[in-house]
Amino acid sequence: MTAENTTLATTSRRDLIGRGLLLLASLATVGAGIRGIVYMTQVSDDRVWIESWRMTAFMLVAGLFALLAWTPRAQRGVWELLFAQKAGLVVIAVALGDVPEAREAGFVDFGLVVILVVSYLLCCGWQSWQTKTAVA
């Protein structure tokens, strides 16, 4: 096996690991969305709208993770948008301090930030910005 073949195999393995992490993040976020549906049915009328918005946001984020898992180098800006949103939520959770829901969600979002950064590196996500046609 030549050095070039070894590099390709390693890159492919790294890519699969990164995509697997993104798929895991997508499925976990779908789970949060399903939990949001259940939660939405249990809240008072004055909270239904915000919980509906939150539940659909979970599904949107799950879809974005799935897009990245499917074609990580063809999604210009999706990596960065997800990172900014998740990192922003971590910062807000830290700023809120002892608010129980913020603390729990902050840990989850921090985990998603870690998955995004690791997957970005493993999948070479920065290549989505190359001027040539992006490659899956």
Side-chain angles (χ1 to χ4, degrees):
M1 184 179 265
T2 65
E4 183 178 326
N5 289 340
T6 304
T7 303
L8 289 175
T10 303
T11 303
S12 179
R13 193 174 317 121
R14 291 177 63 198
D15 195 62
L16 286 173
I17 293 168
R19 288 177 177 208
L21 288 170
L22 291 165
L23 183 59
L24 176 67
S26 179
L27 293 173
T29 308
V30 166
I34 291 169
R35 189 175 106 186
I37 293 169
V38 172
Y39 187 68
M40 187 181 68
T41 64
Q42 299 171 348
V43 297
S44 61
D45 289 346
D46 64 332
R47 299 271 315 158
V48 171
W49 171 251
I50 194 66
E51 294 304 330
S52 299
W53 187 92
R54 185 172 158 182
M55 180 261 312
T56 59
F58 281 132
M59 297 306 189
L60 174 68
V61 169
L64 293 174
F65 276 121
L67 278 174
L68 289 176
W70 183 257
T71 52
R73 288 170 298 282
Q75 307 302 328
R76 290 184 179 154
V78 175
W79 289 102
E80 295 80 5
L81 286 171
L82 270 172
F83 177 79
Q85 194 265 348
K86 292 297 160 195
L89 288 174
V90 170
V91 169
I92 292 168
V94 169
L96 290 175
D98 287 338
V99 176
E101 188 175 352
R103 190 176 331 124
E104 176 187 334
F107 282 118
V108 171
D109 284 318
F110 179 74
L112 291 173
V113 166
V114 170
I115 286 174
L116 268 171
V117 170
V118 169
S119 296
Y120 185 81
L121 295 172
L122 290 172
C123 294
C124 303
W126 60 87
Q127 291 180 356
S128 65
W129 289 99
Q130 292 179 348
T131 54
K132 65 181 181 180
T133 303
V135 189

